[in-house]
Amino acid sequence: MEQISPIQALLQQRTLLQLEYYTEKEAFRKLTEQMGMQRKVKRGDAWFPLQVGKSFYNSLNQTAIEVFRTSDQDIEHNFEFGRPVMFFMVKKMGKNENQGNTALQQPENASDANHKVQNSNLKVQSIKYFSFTGTVSYVDGDRMVITVPDSAPLLELQQSTDPIGVQLSFDETSYKLMFEALDRVMKAKNNRLAYLRDLFYSHQKAGRFSFEPMKFPWLNPTQERAVNEVLWAKDVAIVHGPPGTGKTTTLIEAINETLMRESQVLVCAQSNMAVDWISEKLVDRGINVLRIGNPTRVNDKMLGFTYERRFESHADYPQLWAIRKAIRELRKNRKKGSENYHQKMDRLKSRAAEIELRINAELFGEARVIACTLVGSAHHLLEGMKFGTLFIDEAAQALEAACWIPMKRASRVILAGDHCQLPPTVKSIAALRAGLGKTLMERIAENKPEVVTLLKIQYRMNDEIMRFSSDWFYGGKVESAPQIKYRSVLDYDHPITWIDTSNEENQITIEGEDAPEDSASTASSVSAANQNSDLNFKEQFVGESFGRINKAEAELTLLTLAEYFTKIGKQRVLEERIDVGIISPYRAQVQYLKKLIKKYEFFKPYRRLISVNTVDGFQGQERDVILISLVRSNDEGQIGFLKDLRRMNVAMTRARMKLIILGNKNTMTKHPFYKKLWEYVEAINNNE
């Protein structure tokens, strides 16, 4: 088959991105118009009801308002910096009242007995959306700061007697920037961007410098080679980091060595969380970082390195604030027919602009690393700036179009990530099948395998947990460091086990919930409630938003954890802070598990040590013990998106010392990957 030109390939990318755009926009329309409020809240797409706090002007002279989530604090939400939001007001009406084209609250699941009970006395509620769109500026736990237009009716929000809520709005900005980036790349001629485009889409050899390799005794041989490959690269290099191989450590070293040769570099990632993580490591190394865009859940250390906080703490900022205040007062108190109004306003604006430019020049002049998301690299603050090197972390999770956004600012690009772990999020099945999910990192790795350096020594997992992943995904090339090869919680414990929920012996016995916390009563302290006495290990479909749930498997997951804690001993778990992660691919299962942990008294001392989340939520994290609830249990062998084996790779490789998989063997092993995994676990447990 004849290879298509770079322009044709990019045109195809643009078409697929357009398809993804329409798919997501339509999904959002349905979310807004059809989905009930309870469901939006449970999805993490809305906060309701809110406590509306104070309004103020932020450091960028934008009107901002703070809001507080007053319920459902245990639900993971999707609000993050830069995302657009809409405020709404809920008016209670009589059962039979209906006001025109209002959106009516619907039960989440009509078949759910609990909702049937609730809805019997529920009054119809009318939802009124406010006519402005805000932008998330800052999120910390259950507090959020939202910037709003000056025309926003803040008093109405703050003094409303009706409940107020906020929900995500459709994000046009990201798509707009990606379309613009693709168009810019396609139009590029006789410049560096055009060169990189043609290079990435061909088998042409990438340029290299030639000098003696640097020695880094504190790195292992593959990490040292990766840093040198970054330094030798004229055009592009890829650091391929499997789980636990020290990708971040290697990247930090590569950035530090690059700064020995360049005055400033641009560091980007797909998500705010990834940017915050690498920024924090760079700060720990003593490197001056300027973080563009407030982190989503920023800690105190990183807050001091954000552009907003650095701007506010500048010595000239009080003077600038005083001038801005004078401008606002001048507008407010303007007298009709005042002759010198415009002269005063122009003078004040000129002084404010002068001070702002001076502050920005100092902040950007001092910074060695500018850190932001891929989309954030289009920020007006970076207008006209050029960098010798662009580093893109977690490049395997970013759409190709997003990677092209910062590329206009750089002469060469270094990509780091692992395309055998989480892929980019693509909502359109058609676009995914047509290749939208193929990342720029994958494309370059295919065309230029010589620019890829695989990190081969992992420092996280017991060797038996790591071995299957290494053999299946990395050609058996990943090895365990000697010091962690045999790490375990208990002596003579199997590091990986699979509990087969198709085995009738695993059926849950229903007993009381408040039994004492000793080993004889562990089962009873985490047993199912009486109303669930008919539980079986079959999955239930609970809607597209939440996917599937397997309540009996959730109960068994917690029973298994309780028994393991009992084996270890309460005192040791607490003193050594043995942490646990419970992973499930389905949001409904995650939320059900969280409720059960809160419900059972047995887990009260351990709650701070237990995290429950989806696979995506555990990306980049690790725990001493990991339990995976696979959920799927049916006679047809249908396993849905568990066929995406990269997600399973992420889930399995979060465990340091113990991995417990719970799932229906008969359902799962119809797929060759899970069949091989079952055989592998069985071989380990029978090899005594």
Side-chain angles (χ1 to χ4, degrees):
M1 186 176 158
E2 188 179 346
Q3 188 174 356
I4 62 173
S5 71
I7 304 297
Q8 288 174 310
L10 286 162
L11 274 170
Q12 187 182 31
Q13 281 283 310
R14 199 186 194 289
T15 303
L16 296 176
L17 188 64
Q18 194 84 36
L19 183 59
E20 172 72 359
Y21 167 75
Y22 287 131
T23 300
E24 193 169 350
K25 194 169 184 178
E26 177 63 16
F28 178 77
R29 186 191 66 78
K30 288 181 178 177
L31 171 71
T32 303
E33 295 179 4
Q34 300 174 10
M35 191 175 290
M37 190 50 60
Q38 288 178 349
R39 197 166 179 185
K40 291 177 191 176
V41 170
K42 287 194 173 184
R43 278 172 53 94
D45 295 329
W47 284 6
F48 178 79
L50 290 179
Q51 178 189 338
V52 181
K54 64 182 180 181
S55 59
F56 55 93
Y57 287 95
N58 65 14
S59 59
L60 300 178
N61 205 32
Q62 300 166 316
T63 306
I65 189 166
E66 62 178 355
V67 298
F68 301 89
R69 181 164 59 165
T70 58
S71 62
D72 303 296
Q73 284 94 341
D74 59 326
I75 294 175
E76 296 288 328
H77 63 80
N78 301 315
F79 292 91
E80 60 179 23
F81 170 77
R83 297 201 68 173
V85 296
M86 299 185 298
F87 283 94
F88 58 87
M89 181 189 297
V90 176
K91 293 181 175 289
K92 292 184 178 180
M93 302 155 53
K95 284 185 180 181
N96 300 318
E97 292 182 69
N98 191 352
Q99 296 180 352
N101 296 321
T102 54
L104 302 178
Q105 181 171 333
Q106 299 294 329
E108 181 192 346
N109 184 351
S111 64
D112 193 307
N114 293 331
H115 285 138
K116 282 182 179 178
V117 173
Q118 292 172 10
N119 292 334
S120 62
N121 299 315
L122 187 69
K123 291 186 177 180
V124 177
Q125 295 179 334
S126 162
I127 300 176
K128 173 196 170 188
Y129 287 93
F130 288 84
S131 59
F132 66 91
T133 300
T135 305
V136 178
S137 174
Y138 174 75
V139 183
D140 183 17
D142 298 310
R143 175 180 177 265
M144 180 159 56
V145 176
I146 298 169
T147 58
V148 297
D150 289 336
S151 59
L154 298 183
L155 282 176
E156 192 177 347
L157 283 172
Q158 292 168 321
Q159 298 176 8
S160 173
T161 55
D162 294 310
I164 298 289
V166 66
Q167 71 174 54
L168 290 173
S169 182
F170 182 66
D171 188 3
E172 299 270 1
T173 307
S174 298
Y175 282 103
K176 183 184 174 186
L177 291 171
M178 285 192 284
F179 286 127
E180 287 176 356
L182 289 175
D183 291 340
R184 183 168 52 248
V185 175
M186 286 187 282
K187 291 175 183 175
K189 289 181 181 178
N190 303 319
N191 59 13
R192 188 64 182 171
L193 190 60
Y195 172 79
L196 291 175
R197 173 197 67 202
D198 296 340
L199 179 70
F200 295 166
Y201 278 87
S202 69
H203 295 287
Q204 177 189 336
K205 293 288 184 184
R208 284 168 62 89
F209 296 106
S210 58
F211 50 81
E212 287 297 308
M214 303 278 295
K215 297 293 183 185
F216 304 97
W218 52 93
L219 301 179
N220 68 48
T222 56
Q223 290 173 332
E224 184 178 275
R225 181 175 164 244
V227 175
N228 277 295
E229 289 291 343
V230 168
L231 299 177
W232 286 330
K234 276 186 182 178
D235 304 317
V236 63
I238 292 176
V239 180
H240 183 186
T245 54
K247 172 181 66 66
T248 302
T249 301
T250 307
L251 199 57
I252 297 297
E253 199 63 52
I255 292 169
N256 189 58
E257 284 300 315
T258 302
L259 288 171
M260 301 291 183
R261 298 157 174 77
E262 300 174 19
S263 60
Q264 197 173 64
V265 299
L266 180 61
V267 176
C268 295
Q270 172 66 16
S271 68
N272 277 290
M273 191 180 294
V275 178
D276 292 344
W277 175 251
I278 195 164
S279 297
E280 190 173 326
K281 298 300 176 185
L282 287 165
V283 169
D284 289 342
R285 192 64 182 267
I287 297 170
N288 190 327
V289 177
L290 185 61
R291 172 74 162 91
I292 306 299
N294 290 353
T296 55
R297 293 176 177 82
V298 65
N299 56 39
D300 290 339
K301 182 167 72 173
M302 276 315 303
L303 185 60
F305 294 90
T306 60
Y307 170 79
E308 286 81 2
R309 182 56 64 90
R310 296 274 287 275
F311 193 93
E312 286 177 349
S313 59
H314 193 276
D316 291 340
Y317 179 73
Q319 187 184 354
L320 176 62
W321 181 255
I323 295 170
R324 285 172 171 174
K325 186 178 178 182
I327 290 172
R328 289 195 295 272
E329 287 177 354
L330 187 62
R331 280 196 187 119
K332 188 178 177 182
N333 302 320
R334 180 185 180 182
K335 295 178 182 177
K336 287 185 178 179
S338 176
E339 294 179 2
N340 60 353
Y341 170 81
H342 292 291
Q343 292 177 338
K344 285 183 179 178
M345 182 63 75
D346 289 343
R347 193 162 56 249
L348 287 169
K349 282 183 175 179
S350 176
R351 285 174 61 192
E354 183 187 334
I355 295 171
E356 193 171 336
L357 285 169
R358 187 165 69 240
I359 295 174
N360 283 341
E362 288 186 25
L363 293 181
F364 282 95
E366 294 168 355
R368 302 298 310 280
V369 171
I370 307 299
C372 57
T373 62
L374 295 167
V375 171
S377 67
H379 199 289
H380 68 88
L381 290 168
L382 301 180
E383 194 62 43
M385 292 187 68
K386 297 288 184 181
F387 302 87
T389 306
L390 162 66
F391 290 88
I392 301 179
D393 194 16
E394 302 297 353
Q397 288 183 258
L399 290 173
E400 179 176 340
C403 290
W404 285 112
I405 297 173
M407 211 86 74
K408 67 176 181 178
R409 305 194 187 282
S411 296
R412 66 178 195 138
V413 60
I414 312 300
L415 301 109
D418 181 11
H419 52 269
C420 299
Q421 295 190 63
L422 287 181
T425 302
V426 179
K427 305 244 176 107
S428 168
I429 303 298
L432 184 64
R433 288 173 178 167
L436 186 62
K438 187 172 184 176
T439 64
L440 186 63
M441 179 176 163
E442 284 181 87
R443 190 180 304 283
I444 297 170
E446 281 181 12
N447 291 336
K448 294 170 186 40
E450 68 277 6
V451 306
V452 181
T453 306
L454 177 68
L455 304 180
K456 296 181 179 179
I457 301 174
Q458 68 89 17
Y459 299 88
R460 177 184 297 166
M461 295 160 273
N462 179 291
D463 189 68
E464 289 185 346
I465 297 174
M466 181 278 304
R467 181 56 45 204
F468 183 83
S469 174
S470 175
D471 290 345
W472 187 277
F473 294 100
Y474 308 104
K477 293 177 181 177
V478 181
E479 300 291 334
S480 300
Q483 62 267 36
I484 57 91
K485 195 169 184 177
Y486 302 108
R487 69 191 319 183
S488 63
V489 180
L490 297 168
D491 293 336
Y492 309 110
D493 189 21
H494 296 298
I496 178 170
T497 57
W498 183 325
I499 297 174
D500 177 18
T501 58
S502 67
N503 188 343
E504 291 184 1
E505 292 178 6
N506 289 324
Q507 297 299 313
I508 298 170
T509 305
I510 310 302
E511 299 178 39
E513 291 182 51
D514 300 316
E517 296 177 18
D518 57 58
S519 58
S521 62
T522 301
S524 62
S525 65
V526 294
S527 63
N530 291 331
Q531 66 264 32
N532 293 328
S533 60
D534 59 345
L535 284 177
N536 59 64
F537 288 86
K538 289 293 183 186
E539 64 184 73
Q540 296 172 270
F541 180 70
V542 291
E544 290 181 15
S545 305
F546 297 91
R548 303 188 182 256
I549 192 170
N550 190 325
K551 292 184 176 181
E553 188 174 286
E555 300 278 0
L556 184 60
T557 301
L558 296 189
L559 175 62
T560 304
L561 177 59
E563 288 177 341
Y564 198 65
F565 274 161
T566 303
K567 278 185 184 177
I568 302 168
K570 180 178 178 181
Q571 188 175 350
R572 188 186 162 202
V573 172
L574 297 176
E575 285 180 358
E576 297 182 17
R577 296 191 61 80
I578 296 171
D579 52 1
V580 176
I582 304 177
I583 303 175
S584 182
Y586 295 100
R587 190 181 298 191
Q589 189 81 341
V590 167
Q591 292 189 8
Y592 187 67
L593 283 160
K594 285 181 177 180
K595 285 180 183 176
L596 290 181
I597 290 171
K598 281 188 173 182
K599 177 180 171 183
Y600 296 132
E601 198 64 27
F602 177 87
F603 292 109
K604 193 172 181 179
Y606 310 110
R607 283 173 190 161
R608 290 189 176 183
L609 299 173
I610 303 172
S611 308
V612 187
N613 216 326
T614 59
V615 180
D616 297 59
F618 269 102
Q619 174 75 0
Q621 300 185 43
E622 58 187 73
R623 298 289 188 272
D624 293 325
V625 181
I626 288 288
L627 295 93
I628 305 172
S629 172
L630 296 175
V631 175
R632 301 309 297 260
S633 177
N634 55 73
D635 298 331
E636 296 78 32
Q638 297 293 324
I639 61 172
F641 66 86
L642 284 173
K643 290 178 186 173
D644 187 346
L645 306 181
R646 293 170 295 184
R647 293 183 179 278
M648 195 60 189
N649 186 31
V650 172
M652 291 166 53
T653 55
R654 302 307 95 193
R656 300 188 193 104
M657 293 182 272
K658 179 73 173 182
L659 173 63
I660 303 172
I661 301 167
L662 296 99
N664 187 313
K665 170 206 165 188
N666 297 335
T667 299
M668 299 306 301
T669 56
K670 287 185 171 64
H671 190 284
F673 172 87
Y674 295 97
K675 185 173 185 292
K676 196 77 177 176
L677 177 60
W678 170 265
E679 291 169 353
Y680 174 79
V681 174
E682 283 291 282
I684 287 174
N685 285 271
N686 294 328
N687 186 25
E688 297 189 286

